[in-house]
Amino acid sequence: MDFTFGGKYRLEEELAIGGCGTVFLGVHTIAGKEVAIKIEPAVSSKHISPLKQESKVYKSLMGGPGVPWIMWSGKQGEYNVMVIDLLGPSLEDLFKMCNRHFTLKTVLLLADQLLDRIEFIHSKDFVHRDVKPANFVMGTDNAAHFVNVIDFGLAKKYRDARTSEHIPYKQDEHHGVGTSLFAAINTHLGMECSRRDDLESLAYMLIYFLRGTLPWRRIKGTTVSSTWDLIRDKKLETEALLTVGLPVEFDAFYKYARGLEFEDLPDYDGLRALFRGLAARQGIEYDGVFDWTLGKNRGHKKRYCAACAART
């Protein structure tokens, strides 16, 4: 494709194809700055554009900590387009690079920032609904230690911004939204997502980073629906064993998230203090030095996209 969007963002090369569009590396034709350009075919006005919806969420959140900037978005020709920051590697790719294991220090450094990002999203009346390692990417250059949150294609308002009225509880036969590996059990059960579910997904992430896997990671059914059901059953079966052998703070975090009611406001400060207390006892310093910044991993450079964490 040979296109320039917004009068100054030129398409360079394809990075990834996803359910919500195709992501390309782009460049600002004047400044030379590399960006990510996410496009989807424009369809009938009767249909809601996933990319337009995602753009609206970004615009509501950008300027906040760890939320990438949109440089331009709109419809051009046959396409809906979003031009966004090109950032560093995703936590999922860094996890693989570190042989599928993070040290306790790295997990605690991440937990502190991840709680911040989720709290900010919630403070703006949204739940992310797809909290997973691939949807968090590191910054670049002087901000390489800074975690950014991406992919708001499934994000949803959980309360009215004017009245602060919470959305009503409901439950149906739907098998949930997001990614089954990290989805909250209530999501598997077809319950409407709320703040508690983002935190439960984060708990699974942290346990995954420490253990290198989750008990249901390799479960696969004959259909998408059956896979969700089998993973749900395994999550329920292994609840009591999930954090065995880990510092008690991770068990406390998981049980806290699971125990929240639908409309409860999580105690983000208390959760950060929980993990900071563990760090203090272990003599861990919050110095921004992660596993991947040490030894042979230093200098590992690849391009990643804030729109989808796609790697070239």
Side-chain angles (χ1 to χ4, degrees):
M1 297 175 70
D2 183 19
F3 288 112
T4 298
F5 293 107
K8 54 188 175 184
Y9 297 102
R10 185 178 66 245
L11 228 53
E12 292 287 306
E13 62 183 271
E14 184 180 297
L15 294 179
I17 299 175
C20 295
T22 304
V23 182
F24 294 83
L25 174 70
V27 65
H28 191 293
T29 56
I30 300 172
K33 174 183 170 63
E34 287 189 328
V35 296
I37 302 176
K38 191 171 185 178
I39 70 172
E40 67 172 10
V43 294
S44 167
S45 58
K46 295 180 181 179
H47 296 86
I48 297 175
S49 160
L51 191 56
K52 283 186 178 180
Q53 290 296 107
E54 186 176 8
S55 295
K56 288 180 181 178
V57 178
Y58 267 112
K59 288 174 182 177
S60 297
L61 298 174
M62 69 180 188
V67 179
W69 284 89
I70 288 184
M71 288 78 168
W72 185 83
S73 68
K75 181 180 178 182
Q76 185 169 318
E78 299 177 354
Y79 299 99
N80 295 316
V81 184
M82 181 173 69
V83 181
I84 196 168
D85 282 334
L86 192 71
L87 294 173
S90 76
L91 295 185
E92 180 64 33
D93 282 292
L94 289 167
F95 187 56
K96 292 175 183 175
M97 193 178 76
C98 294
N99 298 315
R100 301 192 62 81
H101 174 75
F102 285 158
T103 60
L104 177 61
K105 176 184 177 180
T106 285
V107 174
L108 292 177
L109 292 180
L110 290 174
D112 206 65
Q113 292 199 52
L114 294 169
L115 282 164
D116 276 347
R117 304 300 171 267
I118 291 173
E119 180 181 13
F120 174 72
I121 293 167
H122 292 175
S123 75
K124 296 298 183 179
D125 309 315
F126 286 98
V127 282
H128 188 281
R129 302 206 304 169
D130 198 15
V131 170
K132 62 180 180 181
N135 283 340
F136 294 92
V137 300
M138 301 306 296
T140 56
D141 301 323
N142 292 335
H145 64 286
F146 198 76
V147 180
N148 301 271
V149 57
I150 63 169
D151 198 343
F152 293 96
L154 295 176
K156 182 179 179 180
K157 288 272 190 179
Y158 71 89
R159 67 182 176 192
D160 186 282
R162 292 172 300 174
T163 65
S164 294
E165 184 178 354
H166 201 286
I167 58 174
Y169 172 86
K170 66 178 181 179
Q171 183 174 4
D172 55 35
E173 296 300 317
H174 182 62
H175 282 85
V177 294
T179 303
S180 57
L181 185 62
F182 299 99
I185 290 173
N186 289 327
T187 302
H188 280 276
L189 298 173
M191 297 180 193
E192 182 72 55
C193 290
S194 66
R195 289 169 287 190
R196 63 182 181 180
D197 302 302
D198 280 349
L199 288 184
E200 184 179 334
S201 293
L202 176 57
Y204 292 137
M205 268 183 61
L206 300 180
I207 294 165
Y208 172 73
F209 287 153
L210 285 172
R211 291 205 185 282
T213 190
L214 290 167
W216 49 86
R217 179 170 170 258
R218 297 190 180 276
I219 292 177
K220 189 172 180 62
T222 55
T223 64
V224 172
S225 177
S226 64
T227 297
W228 274 81
D229 286 344
L230 290 170
I231 289 177
R232 173 203 64 203
D233 293 345
K234 192 66 173 179
K235 285 177 181 176
L236 290 168
E237 176 191 331
T238 58
E239 268 199 290
L241 304 173
L242 192 58
T243 58
V244 170
L246 300 181
V248 295
E249 287 78 4
F250 292 92
D251 183 63
F253 178 36
Y254 175 67
K255 288 179 177 175
Y256 175 78
R258 287 284 294 135
L260 288 170
E261 297 295 330
F262 180 65
E263 295 189 17
D264 280 351
L265 169 64
D267 181 6
Y268 309 98
D269 287 338
L271 293 171
R272 279 188 291 269
L274 175 74
F275 289 126
R276 282 185 170 264
L278 172 59
R281 289 197 304 278
Q282 295 291 329
I284 292 172
E285 182 182 353
Y286 283 71
D287 56 5
V289 178
F290 299 90
D291 292 337
W292 56 84
T293 59
L294 301 172
K296 65 180 180 180
N297 294 326
R298 184 174 294 142
H300 180 89
K301 292 182 179 179
K302 288 184 181 287
R303 286 192 301 250
Y304 292 75
C305 159
C308 66
R311 174 164 55 92
T312 60

